[in-house]
Amino acid sequence: MNESRPRTLTGRGRALLTCGVTLVLGGILLGFPDITRIGVLLAVLPLLARLVARRRPPRLSIERSVTPARLQPDERAEVVVDFANIGDRATPLYLAEERIDYVLGDRPRFLLPRMEPGARRRLTYRIRSHVRGRHELGPIALQQQDPFGLTHVDLMIRSVGEVVVLPRIEALGHGRPPGSGLGNEGETPQMVALHGEEDVSIRAYHDGDDLRKVHWPATAHRGEIMVRQEDRPARRSAVLLLDSRQQGHAGSGGHSSFEWAVSAVASVAVQLGEAGYTLHLASRETLLDGTVEQPLSATEVVELLAVAETGDDVEHSRLVTTAHGLTERGGSLVAVVTDLDDRSVTDLAGLRQPGTSSLAMVLDAAGIAEGRRTTSAQAAGHCDLLGSAGWRVVSVPAGVTARAAWQSLTRLGSFTVTSS
């Protein structure tokens, strides 16, 4: 949709009008008709330019394409803007400016040449952002000036696009959460299909198995009693919990504790996704849209984290309560939390279920913001509390990378890691 703005005199036009009025008044007061006539001419020129400026704006349509549409931090993308004249008359020469978020760089400016009815023009520019999130592209502001530069007419084309900048992903190495039992925490065993029974897996007989499930063809083939296992064991699953409490985080921009937490959860999601885990994201975003219990791929988790924002304590309490329903089903639990208060850590400790692995990165938020490389007493106390509940814990002051924290969690038990 095109939105026309009032015709406005430029600085040159206003100066000319002011000079003209001054000369007219001076000529009349001093009795110099020639000066008065010159003043009238100077005053009339910008007024005529304003009157003859195009009254009815042209009809333009815009289509944008961004390649790639999903960016890694500091990755460049190419934006292609296609203009089309869908009106019944030619457009004048315009100075165009794309309104984009400041984190994407300087606003691109370019000349949009004259277009006949039905004509199209394609313009391109590049963007780059080191800040994750969903960023808008547009609208586009067009400006037309008269040949003398005395007046201009603004036109706003309210067509917008967007580009998504994903969280920073860090390679975590080969670490995996401990635990290799069957069920939600176990591997998916290879299925054996005999005689067309594609949906039935076969395993060795165990004491107490129902003899009616003996699979006689497989028993004869293997030389030992084999039984049908009609329920496929589930894939490994993991719950990823992000502490988004605004009061618990410190710092600003890409060096804040919250950005560290988002990047760490995204990196863990990619790591576990590559290992075949089914993921559940427990964050403020999935809590608000009711999708905490929805299984997600690593790609979906990362895209949700791209727009993660901080919230309040009430939302975090609801999130922990909701996560209980997921952890009761088994599977691994990975939490990135702050050192805000002891009560929330006590509630968090109760998420761990017997026989499952629970891993926590406890952020020393103030230490990260201040660049302090030693763990605070508050964060160390949280680590001790979670460790006593059976968690594997690592504290994160400034200088500790997500890779170092993850490798420590998946290699050792409850402890504190400090940066070198």
Side-chain angles (χ1 to χ4, degrees):
M1 180 177 65
N2 299 346
E3 178 181 311
S4 181
R5 291 185 174 181
R7 296 178 292 278
T8 306
L9 293 177
T10 63
R12 181 186 301 175
R14 289 193 296 270
L16 204 62
L17 179 61
T18 302
C19 290
V21 172
T22 302
L23 289 176
V24 169
L25 294 177
I28 293 174
L29 293 176
L30 298 176
F32 293 104
D34 292 338
I35 294 179
T36 303
R37 283 191 288 269
I38 294 175
V40 171
L41 176 62
L42 294 179
V44 167
L45 279 177
L47 296 178
L48 287 177
R50 190 174 186 275
L51 289 175
V52 300
R54 188 179 295 271
R55 296 177 179 274
R56 184 163 60 94
R59 297 177 59 199
L60 295 173
S61 68
I62 289 182
E63 294 181 358
R64 287 184 187 83
S65 61
V66 185
T67 308
R70 300 289 187 270
L71 300 180
Q72 299 295 330
D74 297 324
E75 181 183 4
R76 291 185 179 274
E78 183 178 77
V79 182
V80 178
V81 187
D82 288 313
F83 293 85
N85 183 1
I86 58 176
D88 55 2
R89 59 177 177 169
T91 66
L93 176 70
Y94 280 115
L95 175 63
E97 180 185 77
E98 175 87 287
R99 305 291 177 87
I100 62 176
D101 290 344
Y102 72 95
V103 297
L104 299 178
D106 295 333
R107 290 180 172 179
R109 295 182 177 180
F110 37 81
L111 289 176
L112 182 62
R114 175 185 174 88
M115 292 190 295
E116 298 295 333
R120 303 180 68 89
R121 293 289 186 271
R122 170 170 291 185
L123 302 173
T124 62
Y125 63 91
R126 291 183 175 274
I127 56 174
R128 183 177 67 175
S129 173
H130 62 278
V131 179
R132 65 172 179 84
R134 181 176 286 113
H135 306 292
E136 280 196 350
L137 305 174
I140 288 184
L142 302 179
Q143 185 181 96
Q144 173 198 357
Q145 289 190 0
D146 66 90
F148 301 103
L150 302 179
T151 185
H152 63 81
V153 179
D154 292 337
L155 178 68
M156 185 69 72
I157 304 180
R158 298 200 172 278
S159 171
V160 297
E162 71 172 19
V163 61
V164 176
V165 181
L166 303 175
R168 196 175 300 276
I169 305 298
E170 188 174 344
L172 301 182
H174 303 289
R176 298 287 186 274
S180 58
L182 293 178
N184 284 348
E185 183 66 14
E187 298 279 8
T188 303
Q190 182 179 2
M191 302 302 174
V192 180
L194 296 176
H195 300 285
E197 293 179 303
E198 297 178 354
D199 295 329
V200 179
S201 62
I202 310 300
R203 61 171 176 82
Y205 172 82
H206 299 300
D207 290 340
D209 285 339
D210 189 349
L211 292 178
R212 290 174 297 180
K213 294 186 177 181
V214 173
H215 193 279
W216 296 110
T219 299
H221 179 73
R222 295 287 186 89
E224 60 177 330
I225 299 179
M226 306 294 292
V227 296
R228 293 186 296 271
Q229 182 173 297
E230 298 175 355
D231 296 329
R232 292 173 178 256
R235 298 174 60 190
R236 286 187 173 185
S237 65
V239 178
L240 308 179
L241 188 145
L242 173 63
D243 186 345
S244 301
R245 290 174 295 174
Q246 185 175 12
Q247 294 183 351
H249 290 283
S252 60
H255 300 290
S256 67
S257 60
F258 183 65
E259 290 304 315
W260 195 101
V262 171
S263 176
V265 174
S267 300
V268 172
V270 172
Q271 177 84 348
L272 298 183
E274 292 176 350
Y277 279 71
T278 297
L279 305 175
H280 296 272
L281 177 62
S283 70
R284 177 176 180 271
E285 286 63 38
T286 57
L287 174 70
L288 295 180
D289 62 18
T291 59
V292 174
E293 297 188 1
Q294 178 179 332
L296 303 171
S297 65
T299 300
E300 292 170 328
V301 170
V302 171
E303 290 192 359
L304 283 171
L305 291 173
V307 295
E309 297 179 348
T310 54
D312 54 35
D313 293 354
V314 175
E315 291 173 342
H316 181 72
S317 299
R318 290 172 51 202
L319 182 64
V320 173
T321 301
T322 305
H324 267 288
L326 291 172
T327 58
E328 289 176 351
R329 305 173 188 173
S332 299
L333 171 62
V334 181
V336 181
V337 298
T338 70
D339 58 346
L340 181 57
D341 57 72
D342 294 333
R343 178 179 178 181
S344 63
V345 176
T346 302
D347 295 338
L348 181 69
L351 287 180
R352 181 182 179 273
Q353 302 298 319
T356 64
S357 61
S358 297
L359 291 71
M361 301 180 189
V362 179
L363 306 184
D364 183 351
I368 293 175
E370 299 170 2
R372 188 178 64 246
R373 293 176 175 263
T374 56
T375 302
S376 67
Q378 179 82 352
H382 287 12
C383 290
D384 292 339
L385 195 154
L386 290 174
S388 64
W391 286 64
R392 293 191 171 210
V393 190
V394 57
S395 66
V396 181
V400 174
T401 64
R403 178 186 178 93
W406 180 252
Q407 289 184 344
S408 299
L409 283 175
T410 55
R411 183 176 62 248
L412 301 174
S414 177
F415 50 86
T416 297
V417 168
T418 59
S419 60
S420 57

